[in-house]
């Protein structure tokens, strides 16, 4: 170990402890998830040494020279952070975007983004970014990824095995920003088979199969079969809906707002958990009423059969709409199968089960789209394991 000494330009970071604390306390969501904001506040409770923002040019030739002093080179992190402004056209054209910026960073560079960068901005008379979204890391079977261990997961290989939609769904479904998450192939296969292939894909196939929907249309909803008021079933002998059915309708009706909120707060895994729970409830609804056993020759049975299918397809339409940012190709195939047009796939205009509320449904009696095939092909564990062994 050799002791070295050199002269550098210093940024008086210590002078910004108070302003940084005020910024964080006045903006509880400035750094999220919340545990990371608390971490930054703890740093500010400790001694905050001034920051060296340059290096001697003789020791670091490749960087940007300090303006007015060619013997010094700008510290690379200062240079890098300023790109957030320069890409927006600073100092003339950044006003349209700044400070409404959201930085997405790994937890290992939190100090640079939540301490140094806001302090530099405040010193320049600029507001800190609106939000700093922090994520944790992926481990492999409980161990940190490293080249020396040979356990680095190649994302390109994973996309080849699980597809873009499948791999993205797994990462967003299992990725919890505030803590490290563990990866292994068997976990991916189990999740994708369970939630995409079986639960979602199976529900679509069963509810649109020619044997159960020979007309290949979006069936009509019968209000007498599924009255809006659960208690009214006693006075309407044709009412067939159960208490669990009303729970399903309430859950799916509240789902778009829930998902929207979780997306906005960067808790995508919670949004997907809510969707997966509703998909399970819809499968239970379909299985509970066994529409394949209903007699089409009986007019009352036909009304109830159509109502079961209508509710199921409405649920699927909601799921397909909400899943578009996560599995866009799958969602497109699902919505196309349900004959949902491009202009009918937005979140703002998403209306669930309009006929249940006494309003017209634009999809009723509409011809369904062509069969788009298996929504998500089930993965075989043996194939995945063999591929990984070959790569090793």
């Amino acid at each position: 170990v050799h002791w070295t000494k050199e002269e550098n330009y210093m940024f008086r970071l210590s002078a910004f402890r108070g302003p940084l604390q005020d910024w964080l306390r006045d903006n509880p969501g400035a750094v999220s998830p919340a545990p990371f904001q608390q971490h930054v506040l703890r740093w500010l409770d400790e001694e905050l040494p001034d920051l060296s923002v340059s290096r001697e040019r003789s020791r670091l030739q490749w960087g940007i020279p300090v303006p007015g002093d060619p013997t010094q080179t700008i510290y690379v992190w200062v240079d890098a952070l300023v790109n957030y402004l320069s890409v927006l056209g600073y100092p003339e054209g950044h006003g349209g975007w700044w400070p409404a910026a959201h930085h997405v960073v790994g937890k290992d560079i939190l100090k640079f983004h939540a301490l140094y960068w806001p302090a530099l901005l405040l010193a320049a008379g600029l507001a800190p970014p609106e939000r700093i979204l922090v994520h944790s890391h992926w481990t492999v079977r409980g161990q940190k990824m490293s080249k020396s261990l040979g356990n680095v997961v190649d994302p390109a290989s994973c996309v080849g095995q699980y597809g873009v939609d499948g791999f993205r769904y797994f990462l967003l479904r299992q990725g919890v920003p505030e803590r490290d998450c563990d990866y292994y192939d068997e976990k991916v296969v189990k999740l994708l088979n369970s939630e995409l292939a079986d639960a979602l894909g199976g529900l679509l196939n069963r509810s649109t199969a020619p044997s159960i929907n020979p007309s290949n249309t979006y069936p009509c909803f019968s209000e007498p079969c599924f009255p809006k008021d659960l208690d009214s079933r006693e006075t309407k002998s044709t009412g067939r809906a159960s208490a669990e059915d009303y729970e399903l309708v309430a859950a799916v009706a509240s789902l778009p707002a829930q998902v929207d909120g979780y997306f906005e707060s960067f808790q995508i895994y919670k949004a997907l958990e809510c969707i997966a729970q509703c998909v399970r409830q819809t499968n239970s609804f379909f299985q509970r009423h066994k529409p394949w056993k209903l007699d089409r020759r009986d007019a009352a049975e036909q009304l109830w059969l159509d109502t079961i299918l209508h509710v199921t397809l409405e649920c699927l339409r909601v799921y397909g709409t909400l899943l578009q940012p996560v599995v866009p190709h799958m969602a497109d195939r699902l919505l196309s199968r349900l004959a949902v047009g491009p202009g009918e796939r937005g979140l703002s205009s998403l209306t669930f089960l309009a006929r249940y509320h006494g309003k017209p449904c634009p999809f009723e009696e509409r011809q369904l789209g062509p069969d788009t095939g298996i929504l998500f092909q089930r993965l075989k564990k043996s194939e995945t394991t063999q591929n990984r062994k070959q790569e090793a």
Side-chain angles (χ1 to χ4, degrees):
V1 177
H2 298 275
W3 180 263
T4 62
K5 182 179 179 181
E6 66 179 51
E7 289 189 356
N8 303 134
Y9 285 96
M10 305 293 291
F11 173 67
R12 201 172 296 281
L13 183 64
S14 56
F16 289 89
R17 172 189 279 171
L20 288 172
Q21 289 174 325
D22 293 340
W23 165 59
L24 291 172
R25 287 168 181 160
D26 292 344
N27 299 276
V31 179
S32 63
F36 292 111
Q37 177 139 329
Q38 294 305 314
H39 201 147
V40 178
L41 285 169
R42 285 195 295 272
W43 280 334
L44 290 170
D45 287 336
E46 302 168 359
E47 182 182 356
L48 200 62
D50 292 339
L51 178 67
S52 173
V53 293
S54 71
R55 299 290 183 268
E56 285 188 351
R57 187 73 177 171
S58 59
R59 200 164 60 86
L60 192 64
Q61 294 87 19
W62 54 264
I64 295 177
V66 170
D69 189 348
T71 68
Q72 294 280 312
T73 301
I74 293 288
Y75 177 36
V76 66
W77 263 103
V78 176
D79 166 28
L81 290 165
V82 169
N83 279 292
Y84 287 127
L85 281 176
S86 60
V87 74
L88 301 178
Y90 181 83
E92 291 87 12
H94 68 290
W97 293 92
W98 197 270
H102 286 48
H103 295 338
V104 182
V105 303
K107 66 178 184 178
D108 51 326
I109 52 175
L110 176 60
K111 182 172 285 187
F112 293 93
H113 285 82
L115 282 184
Y116 303 160
W117 177 226
L120 291 168
L121 289 165
L122 290 170
L126 296 167
E130 185 174 302
R131 206 160 178 212
I132 301 170
L133 299 162
V134 189
H135 63 79
S136 298
H137 296 162
W138 283 94
T139 59
V140 178
R141 298 187 183 277
Q143 291 183 301
K144 183 179 179 180
M145 285 193 214
S146 72
K147 293 180 181 178
S148 59
L149 290 175
N151 66 345
V152 177
V153 177
D154 178 9
S157 173
C158 292
V159 168
Q161 291 178 23
Y162 311 124
V164 175
D165 279 359
F167 191 47
R168 177 160 46 196
Y169 183 86
F170 172 79
L171 293 177
L172 293 173
R173 177 76 168 85
Q174 294 290 306
V176 180
E178 52 261 48
R179 64 177 182 269
D180 289 349
C181 304
D182 202 35
Y183 176 94
Y184 49 93
D185 290 322
E186 296 85 351
K187 189 177 186 179
V188 184
V189 172
K190 183 178 179 180
L191 177 77
L192 298 186
N193 281 346
S194 171
E195 297 192 356
L196 296 187
D198 297 342
L200 188 63
L203 184 64
L204 177 65
N205 290 339
R206 295 170 77 192
S207 57
T208 58
S211 59
I212 203 166
N213 189 356
S215 64
N216 196 42
T217 58
Y218 214 98
C220 293
F221 178 89
S222 170
E223 194 275 339
C225 289
F226 205 132
K228 188 175 181 181
D229 185 0
L230 175 61
D231 295 331
S232 67
R233 293 181 306 152
E234 298 176 0
T235 59
K236 296 183 179 182
S237 59
T238 54
R240 306 282 290 268
S242 66
E244 292 89 349
D245 302 337
Y246 287 90
E247 291 173 5
L248 167 66
V249 169
V252 179
S254 64
L255 190 61
Q258 274 186 309
V259 169
D260 185 40
Y262 284 136
F263 275 8
E264 285 295 321
S265 63
F266 205 60
Q267 295 177 306
I268 301 174
Y269 72 102
K270 288 187 178 181
L272 296 183
E273 169 56 34
C274 290
I275 295 173
Q277 174 60 29
C278 284
V279 172
R280 288 191 290 269
Q281 283 183 263
T282 313
N283 272 292
S284 297
F285 164 79
F286 197 84
Q287 188 67 28
R288 182 164 56 248
H289 295 297
K290 298 179 173 57
W292 58 90
K293 287 190 175 182
L294 297 175
D295 186 357
R296 295 180 180 279
R297 294 168 296 181
D298 184 319
E301 295 280 274
Q302 181 66 60
L303 283 175
W304 179 227
L305 171 60
D306 287 347
T307 300
I308 294 170
L309 294 180
H310 182 94
V311 172
T312 304
L313 296 188
E314 279 289 274
C315 290
L316 282 166
R317 183 173 63 84
V318 171
Y319 307 149
T321 301
L322 297 177
L323 285 170
Q324 288 177 107
V326 180
V327 284
H329 301 98
M330 274 186 56
D332 175 61
R333 290 169 60 200
L334 189 159
L335 294 172
S336 296
R337 181 70 176 103
L338 300 182
V340 181
E344 300 170 315
R345 301 181 179 188
L347 182 62
S348 59
S349 59
L350 182 57
T351 302
F352 170 63
L353 215 56
R355 291 278 278 108
Y356 176 75
H357 298 284
K359 299 177 181 178
C361 173
F363 302 100
E364 270 194 340
E365 299 185 319
R366 182 183 295 188
Q367 193 73 22
L368 295 180
D371 188 351
T372 50
I374 297 174
L375 192 64
F376 187 84
Q377 187 71 49
R378 282 193 110 257
L379 300 164
K380 294 181 179 179
K381 181 180 177 181
S382 58
E383 290 179 0
T384 306
T385 306
Q386 184 63 31
N387 288 342
R388 192 63 78 189
K389 286 180 179 178
Q390 290 175 353
E391 287 176 12

